[in-house]
Amino acid sequence: MRYYVTITILNIFPLFGLKLNIVTVTNERNDNWVVKQQQMNNSIEKITNFSDVMNEFESHENWSRLCNISHLRHSYFDIVCVIQGDSSIKLSEFRNFTDKVSSNIRFDVSVTCEDGIIHFPWPFRADKLNSIYIKDCRIKDYRADYKNELINSIPDTIKYLQMDNVIISQRVGDLYDSIPKANSPITRAAECGPENAFSIIQRGTNVTFEDLENQHLFDFSTALNQHNYYFNTQKRSCLYNNLEVYEMSGKKENLRKNDINKILYTDVAVSLKILNFSNNGMFDTYYKMQGWQRRFPVMEYIDFSKNNIQVLPMIPDYGLAVRKNKSVVTIDLRRNNITSLTKHMIDSFSTHEFVKVDISENPFVCDCGVLEVMAYLTSKTMPKVYDYLGSLECSKPSKFRGRKLLNMSATDLNCIKETIVNFQVVVFSIITITLIIITLLTIYFRNMIKVILFTRLNIKCPCELRSVTAVEKEYDAFIAYSEKDVEWVIHTALPKLESDDAGKACSLCLHHRDFIVGNTIADNIYNSVENSYHTILLITNDFLRSEWCMMEFRTALRKSLHDKGRHLIIVLKGNISLDNIDPDLKSCLNSQTYLKIGDVLFWDKLKYAISFRHNT
Ligand SMILES: *[C@@H]1O[C@H](CO)[C@@H](O)[C@H](O)[C@H]1NC(C)=O
Ligand SMILES: *[C@@H]1O[C@H](CO)[C@@H](O)[C@H](O)[C@H]1NC(C)=O
Ligand SMILES: *[C@@H]1O[C@H](CO)[C@@H](O)[C@H](O)[C@H]1NC(C)=O
Ligand SMILES: *[C@@H]1O[C@H](CO)[C@@H](O)[C@H](O)[C@H]1NC(C)=O
Ligand SMILES: *[C@@H]1O[C@H](CO)[C@@H](O)[C@H](O)[C@H]1NC(C)=O
Ligand SMILES: *[C@@H]1O[C@H](CO)[C@@H](O)[C@H](O)[C@H]1NC(C)=O
Ligand SMILES: *[C@@H]1O[C@H](CO)[C@@H](O)[C@H](O)[C@H]1NC(C)=O
């Protein structure tokens, strides 16, 4: 068996940081052994009498001391050994024994160690050895016959080989010597192992070195290059015509791609039913399963369980070939590291009528995505072997451990749409809504804002730029008021408007102060209106009753109509009954906005209005 070469070398190559590429195929015949057998037939008289076989066994000192032989049935003998303490047995002593018995006899050997050591060179070949079972042993000389051509001449009679929990204990130098090189190949026996076997099982094999401190004495990097060269050029294909069970499990660390490639792609094993790479710490599915049904037409069970596989192997066409017996192949991926069932897997499984890919007992994560996938699963018609998918269980988060994926609900998983709060969306919405509100408020209060901006910050709205060509006038505004309101004008309005309070100071024209003595009142009114940018009408009930006031109003109105500008600024003071007022004034009040004393922004609005310069 070539696989143990790999085991050993992989075990040491972390020391050198090298990777091996091991593929082998050859054809070789055990010609030597026929010659040797004929010689032996001639020279030795074989023991055919069963009790003489037992007697002969007793003459071999260590085997007879540590093992019991019994004749069970027909020509089959059972040899059971228990190797304790510091005792040991050698395979070569057993070979000396079997050479002496007649060729129809077969031995089933079982060796269990309790601290003892066995000297058993791979592939444990001994004539007439039918089965070999080794348990808990430390094996020495394991690689001793790797290049010993004589081993090829020993008949390959092993039908069952099993090693449970053995430790291969070797010396660095022996490993070095046993590495195959171009001019120094290993034997077919060493590379293929028991080619006639029905089962080859290696469970939990470990490799240790007795003298690791000596590894610097050997040039392993060159040796391993030669080893690669050897396997790349000398392609040897082992022929396992009987092999039904091939297991290499429990290796934890060192089983890699190359360990499994040989049996999967290079060797011939048409009777293989069980292929077992369980519990080897395999990380991923290096292997592809296309065309496997042609290489392994009667395969029943491929065991990749208890590894660390996260991605399903590719099995696109495994189920497509029509299998003669229509039995279902199981590809066991239980207890790996697959965290989710996906729609893609479901689609793939739905085409695998004769392949059951078993992904149960994986650490499935139950999140919101599960709902969609399980709904998809329910909507599909799956082959019967996939019924098990309905009972897959959650593993994470821990509060859902043991719950069935199929029974999870949106409420359990907290997946109800409204409750999914996206922080960024929330912030964005708040900002947007705030901006909209600000915009609406700005539009609604735009006039007030304009006024405040102008009076308090002296910022003018560009759309209302005053005309620079306006004729220079003496006053900003002429105030027309009834004599009854003189107190208010002098003590309240003048201080406000002629100061810098709430905007720039205005220059005002008041008739009691600025009318020129000697002119008629009508002339004075006319001049005042002409020499002011605006006329402020302080309208009170008294104003409406005053003849002069109404004259001022009409003069200003005419001016306003003539100037097509905002000459008139109407200010209402007190409760004014608008019933019987002058029709011209009434239409002015209806068409023009007017200011009311008592308005919070009254002074601001007034100064703002005064600041306008209309074209003349
Ligand atoms: C050796 O003798 C046995 C019978 O004792 C026979 O079956 C076998 O074929 C012989 N082998 C050779 C190589 O002649
Ligand atoms: C085997 O040998 C023993 C004595 O050595 C003899 O008694 C017995 O009959 C023999 N049996 C056969 C089958 O030849
Ligand atoms: C039997 O075992 C003893 C002690 O382990 C050893 O010295 C001796 O060489 C062994 N004999 C054979 C034939 O293996
Ligand atoms: C061999 O048989 C004897 C007596 O039946 C028994 O005490 C002993 O444990 C056996 N040894 C083995 C290795 O089975
Ligand atoms: C096996 O037999 C050969 C000679 O036939 C002898 O040299 C050798 O020491 C024997 N081996 C054992 C372990 O008894
Ligand atoms: C594969 O090997 C493991 C470990 O020895 C064992 O538990 C399991 O049953 C085997 N699988 C099959 C299908 O034989
Ligand atoms: C399973 O895979 C994840 C990465 O997907 C890894 O972090 C974790 O260690 C793996 N679990 C085991 C038991 O190795």
Side-chain angles (χ1 to χ4, degrees):
M1 289 310 295
R2 241 266 308 106
Y3 62 79
Y4 91 99
V5 177
T6 319
I7 292 163
T8 318
I9 288 179
L10 284 170
N11 224 282
I12 198 167
F13 82 55
L15 303 172
F16 317 108
L18 284 174
K19 215 175 166 76
L20 295 183
N21 182 12
I22 305 165
V23 190
T24 56
V25 191
T26 22
N27 259 322
E28 217 176 78
R29 291 215 28 134
N30 299 342
D31 297 326
N32 285 355
W33 114 256
V34 182
V35 179
K36 196 189 172 199
Q37 197 63 22
Q38 271 167 346
Q39 289 165 352
M40 275 164 48
N41 272 7
N42 296 341
S43 61
I44 301 166
E45 203 188 321
K46 293 291 166 126
I47 298 162
T48 50
N49 185 316
F50 292 158
S51 57
D52 287 348
V53 170
M54 316 271 262
N55 289 339
E56 174 61 25
F57 186 75
E58 297 307 329
S59 73
H60 293 269
E61 54 168 311
N62 290 337
W63 280 73
S64 63
R65 186 162 53 83
L66 300 169
C67 312
N68 287 347
I69 186 166
S70 51
H71 178 219
L72 286 186
R73 60 195 143 86
H74 201 52
S75 55
Y76 283 80
F77 287 81
D78 237 21
I79 296 173
V80 178
C81 312
V82 176
I83 316 299
Q84 288 169 315
D86 52 7
S87 46
S88 67
I89 51 172
K90 289 182 177 146
L91 190 66
S92 54
E93 191 183 14
F94 180 72
R95 284 185 187 139
N96 282 2
F97 159 65
T98 61
D99 280 348
K100 299 222 173 81
V101 304
S102 79
S103 61
N104 61 324
I105 291 171
R106 288 291 179 273
F107 299 97
D108 294 327
V109 174
S110 156
V111 182
T112 306
C113 294
E114 293 169 2
D115 289 340
I117 290 170
I118 61 176
H119 297 260
F120 275 33
W122 177 260
F124 315 143
R125 198 167 280 188
D127 191 12
K128 307 170 187 89
L129 177 59
N130 184 61
S131 74
I132 172 92
Y133 176 69
I134 302 171
K135 184 170 187 293
D136 299 336
C137 289
R138 180 177 290 270
I139 304 180
K140 290 198 175 187
D141 298 337
Y142 191 82
R143 299 172 72 95
D145 284 344
Y146 262 43
K147 296 181 176 176
N148 182 356
E149 281 298 326
L150 284 179
I151 300 301
N152 281 339
S153 65
I154 300 174
D156 183 6
T157 55
I158 295 178
K159 293 284 186 281
Y160 304 92
L161 182 149
Q162 180 164 350
M163 294 154 70
D164 280 3
N165 194 30
V166 305
I167 297 168
I168 294 165
S169 173
Q170 60 195 357
R171 301 183 64 79
V172 178
D174 294 337
L175 169 65
Y176 181 82
D177 290 340
S178 66
I179 292 175
K181 303 180 184 83
N183 56 350
S184 157
I186 61 169
T187 64
R188 181 183 182 92
E191 191 172 329
C192 296
E195 282 184 276
N196 301 321
F198 288 92
S199 76
I200 299 172
I201 297 175
Q202 281 202 346
R203 281 188 188 148
T205 306
N206 251 316
V207 178
T208 63
F209 288 89
E210 293 161 37
D211 56 344
L212 207 51
E213 68 277 6
N214 289 338
Q215 57 109 338
H216 67 276
L217 299 176
F218 302 93
D219 179 8
F220 273 99
S221 58
T222 305
L224 291 176
N225 283 338
Q226 289 176 325
H227 173 275
N228 286 347
Y229 177 77
Y230 168 80
F231 278 110
N232 287 332
T233 51
Q234 172 159 348
K235 303 253 188 237
R236 179 184 269 152
S237 169
C238 305
L239 306 174
Y240 303 104
N241 289 326
N242 300 325
L243 194 63
E244 292 177 358
V245 179
Y246 184 92
E247 174 179 329
M248 199 194 299
S249 66
K251 282 192 49 59
K252 294 292 178 207
E253 280 168 42
N254 297 309
L255 189 67
R256 293 282 192 280
K257 188 177 175 179
N258 288 324
D259 296 301
I260 59 175
N261 269 356
K262 187 167 157 59
I263 184 84
L264 295 193
Y265 302 122
T266 311
D267 296 337
V268 177
V270 290
S271 309
L272 199 59
K273 290 180 180 163
I274 296 177
L275 183 60
N276 194 343
F277 287 118
S278 173
N279 195 19
N280 284 320
M282 278 153 50
F283 269 99
D284 245 306
T285 46
Y286 303 107
Y287 39 82
K288 299 183 179 71
M289 298 210 175
Q290 287 101 322
W292 271 29
Q293 77 279 9
R294 285 186 290 280
R295 287 185 47 72
F296 305 108
V298 296
M299 182 68 84
E300 289 169 3
Y301 206 105
I302 300 171
D303 195 341
F304 289 130
S305 65
K306 297 188 201 167
N307 281 293
N308 204 352
I309 294 167
Q310 292 164 29
V311 183
L312 281 193
M314 288 195 281
I315 35 177
D317 68 350
Y318 202 100
L320 295 183
V322 178
R323 292 169 60 85
K324 279 188 206 127
N325 52 4
K326 298 264 182 192
S327 66
V328 173
V329 183
T330 299
I331 298 177
D332 188 345
L333 290 164
R334 290 177 300 159
R335 297 176 70 180
N336 272 280
N337 199 359
I338 298 165
T339 53
S340 59
L341 174 68
T342 63
K343 285 185 181 176
H344 180 74
M345 291 181 193
I346 293 173
D347 285 338
S348 144
F349 295 163
S350 68
T351 65
H352 293 156
E353 201 180 341
F354 297 111
V355 181
K356 174 183 179 180
V357 179
D358 192 347
I359 58 168
S360 55
E361 295 176 66
N362 271 281
F364 294 108
V365 176
C366 279
D367 53 19
C368 297
V370 161
L371 300 175
E372 204 185 332
V373 173
M374 292 321 271
Y376 187 67
L377 175 65
T378 323
S379 74
K380 287 277 259 199
T381 344
M382 301 292 286
K384 192 135 184 53
V385 292
Y386 287 98
D387 285 353
Y388 87 90
L389 290 177
S391 47
L392 290 183
E393 290 177 357
C394 307
S395 161
K396 287 172 198 164
S398 49
K399 61 177 167 176
F400 295 136
R401 181 164 300 149
R403 297 267 305 269
K404 285 186 182 170
L405 264 62
L406 203 55
N407 295 346
M408 298 308 291
S409 70
T411 343
D412 292 335
L413 294 167
N414 215 7
C415 301
I416 299 158
K417 286 286 186 294
E418 296 84 72
T419 67
I420 299 172
V421 177
N422 184 327
F423 182 72
Q424 284 165 329
V425 168
V426 169
V427 168
F428 183 76
S429 308
I430 289 175
I431 290 174
T432 310
I433 291 171
T434 310
L435 284 178
I436 288 172
I437 290 174
I438 289 174
T439 309
L440 289 177
L441 286 175
T442 308
I443 291 170
Y444 189 78
F445 291 109
R446 64 189 183 284
N447 287 328
M448 202 180 275
I449 291 167
K450 263 189 324 202
V451 169
I452 292 175
L453 282 180
F454 174 73
T455 56
R456 304 298 159 97
L457 301 170
N458 203 20
I459 295 171
K460 287 174 193 167
C461 190
C463 50
E464 290 171 356
L465 277 175
R466 315 301 184 270
S467 163
V468 260
T469 62
V471 176
E472 277 300 309
K473 298 203 177 192
E474 204 170 340
Y475 304 107
D476 286 319
F478 163 58
I479 305 184
Y481 54 92
S482 147
E483 281 305 316
K484 297 268 167 61
D485 297 311
V486 69
E487 282 293 304
W488 183 84
V489 171
I490 291 170
H491 295 296
T492 310
L494 280 188
K496 275 279 182 196
L497 297 174
E498 291 194 327
S499 75
D500 281 339
D501 190 12
K504 264 170 46 190
C506 306
S507 64
L508 298 174
C509 173
L510 305 181
H511 46 69
H512 81 272
R513 182 178 74 180
D514 300 309
F515 273 17
I516 297 162
V517 184
N519 280 2
T520 63
I521 290 173
D523 283 347
N524 266 325
I525 291 173
Y526 179 80
N527 288 337
S528 300
V529 170
E530 266 307 303
N531 290 329
S532 306
Y533 290 107
H534 300 276
T535 297
I536 299 169
L537 302 178
L538 180 63
I539 295 182
T540 59
N541 286 327
D542 292 322
F543 183 98
L544 297 174
R545 282 192 291 272
S546 157
E547 211 176 295
W548 292 119
C549 288
M550 289 315 289
M551 189 179 185
E552 286 167 339
F553 160 66
R554 265 182 255 287
T555 311
L557 179 63
R558 266 200 305 279
K559 173 78 179 153
S560 157
L561 291 173
H562 174 254
D563 287 355
K564 296 192 193 74
R566 309 183 191 197
H567 193 81
L568 268 182
I569 297 171
I570 299 173
V571 175
L572 299 187
K573 181 167 179 284
N575 278 336
I576 294 158
S577 67
L578 297 173
D579 298 335
N580 296 316
I581 63 167
D582 179 279
D584 286 338
L585 184 56
K586 193 168 192 172
S587 73
C588 266
L589 287 174
N590 287 340
S591 63
Q592 246 178 302
T593 51
Y594 47 84
L595 306 178
K596 267 187 170 159
I597 294 172
D599 188 329
V600 204
L601 288 175
F602 171 74
W603 295 110
D604 294 274
K605 285 176 177 173
L606 184 54
K607 277 205 164 174
Y608 182 71
I610 292 171
S611 75
F612 271 89
R613 297 287 179 272
H614 46 82
N615 295 321
T616 47

